[in-house]
Amino acid sequence: KKQIMEIELEKYRILVTGADGGHKYILSSLRYNGLQREITIVFKNKNEEQKLTEGIKLRIKGILQDEGPQFGLTLLESKIIDNV
């Protein structure tokens, strides 16, 4: 099931992959449908990734992928709307 979702995050970790010269992504958790769930946020492009700074509140919009409560959530093609 996929849907557009906008979230605000204050607590998160920025991680980096080794693929394509390194891509940044975010790991966090949030309350979703009454359950605390892990979420991985993958960005649309490197321009979005460059805006990431730990310790600031972010508003992010992307396509939410939910494969069921036993799995973490994924926010795909994400964009940072603004630093809150």
Side-chain angles (χ1 to χ4, degrees):
K1 174 179 156 182
K2 292 183 182 180
Q3 67 187 48
I4 301 292
M5 182 181 202
E6 188 175 309
I7 60 173
E8 282 187 14
L9 291 177
E10 216 167 332
K11 294 181 181 176
Y12 53 88
R13 290 186 322 159
I14 299 171
L15 299 171
V16 181
T17 69
D20 292 331
H23 283 278
K24 292 181 182 177
Y25 63 100
I26 287 178
L27 282 184
S28 190
S29 65
L30 53 79
R31 199 144 192 79
Y32 182 74
N33 288 343
L35 298 172
Q36 194 67 24
R37 306 271 300 273
E38 296 291 315
I39 186 164
T40 301
I41 300 169
V42 181
F43 292 90
K44 188 171 181 111
N45 57 50
K46 282 202 174 212
N47 290 340
E48 293 300 314
E49 296 170 17
Q50 301 311 316
K51 298 177 187 177
L52 292 175
T53 306
E54 288 208 37
I56 61 170
K57 194 171 182 181
L58 296 173
R59 183 176 294 137
I60 301 170
K61 185 175 185 176
I63 301 169
L64 181 71
Q65 184 172 318
D66 180 4
E67 300 293 337
Q70 69 273 34
F71 300 107
L73 300 166
T74 307
L75 201 63
L76 303 167
E77 295 186 34
S78 303
K79 295 180 87 170
I80 296 171
I81 296 172
D82 55 19
N83 299 344
V84 181

